[in-house]
Amino acid sequence: MASILSSSAQQKKISVIAYYAGPSYLLDSFQTDKLTEIIFCFAHLKGNELHINNARDTATLEKMVSLKKSNPKLKVVISIGGWGGCATCSDVFSSKKNRKAFAKSVKKITKSFGSDGIDLDWEYPAIEGFPSHRYQPEDKENFTMLVNQLRKKLGKKHEISFASGGFTQYVDESIEWEKVMKKVNRVNLMSYDLVSGYSTVTGNHTPLYSTPLQKESADNAITLMLKRGVPADKIVIGAAFYAKVWQDVPDTSFGLYQPGKYKMGVSYRNFDKQLSPDSGFVYHWDSIAQAPYIYNPDQKIFATFDDKKSIELKTKYVIDKGLNGIMFWQLGDDKFRDGLLDEIDKTRTEDK
């Protein structure tokens, strides 16, 4: 009996982290009491300082902080960047003067809003990310110095995290892991979009495990990070609350690993409307990748995503591997009730 209670208690300690890019008025509709952290998306650089862009963003961040009244343990963190949102990061963070100014502005905004820290979503230091965004080899060391400056300015009580690419090249080339992980609370592994919208071949975009035809996966990245000395209890696995959809996909292997043209993303909350069996979509499960996908043979449309089954397996993986927790992009894509956040909460709290 003692071991059962111990296991259950351990599960309740894992971090459950939501990125959120929606409006303030929807936040009360979600079960944010099931979160340990919510991340505002996105702030950006204005010159060399952190900047909240507009009144809507200000209202959303203020609303997030107000959630702490009913959930006192909730951390509210501001994320900077995002895909396409870090155009000047390489240049700005290459200067010691700019890094100090940025850290000072982070502390000022954090104090002003009553938030708890910063999440760096620079996609990507030292390697190619968003088309046309500058990157240089020096980014790798500059990222380390940026983190050091933030920790020096914010002190020990504030959260510092960063969003990590979930693919091999990022793990190998972007980060000085041993130095950076000493200063941050956690790394949020973006183990999704592993088959990107630029790809002309389909695949599992958020698989738990690698397959003979697809190396990139959550487990692949985590294994590489552990080999580089990243503490397991600072790694957060990523989940996708949305599907990536390809069109013009031939009816071979139910569309998996086939040529196609990227079409769109679909929020989990809209799966029943846009990707339903009634519309001709047939569900399939990749038992090696531990990931679902669907294919419409009449329309030649393929979609890859996380669902309740894969979310349960990712959450159990976190518990079994002693990881810090699970995060997802993004809360606004979930259902208000009986969604993927509910599945995470159910899995982490059930007795074993």
Side-chain angles (χ1 to χ4, degrees):
M1 185 65 178
S3 62
I4 292 176
L5 292 174
S6 176
S7 173
S8 178
Q10 179 187 4
Q11 291 175 54
K12 292 176 182 177
K13 290 181 181 178
I14 73 167
S15 300
V16 180
I17 301 171
Y19 283 86
Y20 184 69
S24 60
Y25 62 82
L26 278 182
L27 277 167
D28 282 333
S29 299
F30 295 102
Q31 295 173 292
T32 55
D33 59 307
K34 295 181 178 180
L35 301 173
T36 62
E37 183 174 309
I38 189 166
I39 301 179
F40 167 82
C41 305
F42 285 102
H44 295 95
L45 281 172
K46 185 175 183 180
N48 59 11
E49 296 185 348
L50 182 69
H51 182 65
I52 306 298
N53 288 357
N54 50 48
R56 171 188 145 141
D57 288 351
T58 296
T60 300
L61 188 49
E62 288 175 343
K63 179 62 179 179
M64 285 181 175
V65 173
S66 76
L67 297 174
K68 294 161 71 74
K69 295 175 183 176
S70 58
N71 185 4
K73 294 184 178 180
L74 180 70
K75 299 291 186 180
V76 178
V77 170
I78 300 171
S79 185
I80 178 175
W83 185 247
C86 221
T88 62
C89 286
S90 180
D91 287 330
V92 169
F93 295 141
S94 65
S95 155
K96 181 178 180 180
K97 177 183 177 182
N98 287 341
R99 292 191 296 268
K100 291 181 73 173
F102 176 74
K104 183 178 179 180
S105 70
V106 170
K107 184 172 183 179
K108 181 180 179 180
I109 286 181
T110 299
K111 183 177 181 180
S112 174
F113 281 95
S115 54
D116 298 289
I118 185 79
D119 178 71
L120 301 170
D121 195 354
W122 176 355
E123 301 183 30
Y124 306 102
I127 64 173
E128 185 176 9
F130 190 83
S132 81
H133 280 197
R134 177 173 166 79
Y135 62 97
Q136 54 188 329
E138 293 80 9
D139 292 341
K140 187 174 184 178
E141 184 178 2
N142 290 337
F143 185 86
T144 303
M145 291 190 286
L146 172 63
V147 169
N148 287 342
Q149 185 61 47
L150 283 166
R151 181 54 74 198
K152 181 179 179 181
K153 191 66 179 177
L154 295 178
K156 294 182 179 180
K157 72 173 185 175
H158 285 96
E159 300 276 320
I160 301 176
S161 60
F162 66 100
S164 162
F167 52 95
T168 302
Q169 186 187 12
Y170 181 98
V171 177
D172 286 346
E173 300 179 25
S174 289
I175 302 295
E176 294 181 310
W177 291 102
E178 185 177 354
K179 295 179 181 178
V180 169
M181 295 310 299
K182 291 177 181 178
K183 302 293 184 178
V184 300
N185 296 85
R186 60 183 58 84
V187 52
N188 294 321
L189 179 67
M190 295 185 289
S191 42
Y192 42 74
D193 293 344
L194 297 181
V195 180
S196 77
Y198 299 99
S199 177
T200 56
V201 178
T202 68
N204 294 303
H205 95 85
T206 182
L208 183 53
Y209 292 101
S210 305
T211 73
L213 293 177
Q214 185 177 330
K215 174 185 177 182
E216 304 297 356
S217 70
D219 180 71
N220 175 71
I222 290 167
T223 299
L224 292 173
M225 291 162 72
L226 292 172
K227 287 180 179 177
R228 290 180 172 271
V230 179
D233 64 1
K234 286 191 174 185
I235 298 174
V236 177
I237 200 171
F241 281 24
Y242 61 96
K244 296 181 78 71
V245 182
W246 276 259
Q247 61 187 1
D248 302 328
V249 179
D251 190 359
T252 302
S253 300
F254 308 113
L256 185 62
Y257 306 129
Q258 301 303 310
K261 179 182 179 182
Y262 182 72
K263 179 178 174 65
M264 62 182 178
V266 176
S267 298
Y268 178 74
R269 68 173 186 271
N270 293 326
F271 281 14
D272 293 342
K273 297 177 182 177
Q274 295 180 254
L275 303 174
S276 72
D278 292 341
S279 301
F281 287 94
V282 181
Y283 182 91
H284 302 278
W285 178 258
D286 187 327
S287 59
I288 300 175
Q290 299 286 283
Y293 59 99
I294 55 175
Y295 182 67
N296 188 316
D298 294 328
Q299 298 181 25
K300 301 287 190 286
I301 294 177
F302 171 91
T304 165
F305 48 88
D306 268 322
D307 65 1
K308 287 186 177 182
K309 184 176 179 180
S310 65
I311 288 288
E312 177 188 8
L313 291 170
K314 282 185 175 179
T315 307
K316 288 180 176 178
Y317 182 98
V318 168
I319 296 163
D320 292 343
K321 297 284 187 179
L323 304 186
N324 183 281
I326 183 168
M327 67 83 170
F328 50 89
W329 180 271
Q330 59 113 354
L331 182 63
D333 288 328
D334 202 11
K335 297 178 179 180
F336 294 149
R337 294 293 182 273
D338 193 31
L340 298 182
L341 174 56
D342 281 304
E343 191 63 30
I344 293 172
D345 189 66
K346 183 176 75 172
T347 304
R348 76 181 178 124
T349 56
E350 63 187 8
D351 288 341
K352 295 295 180 186

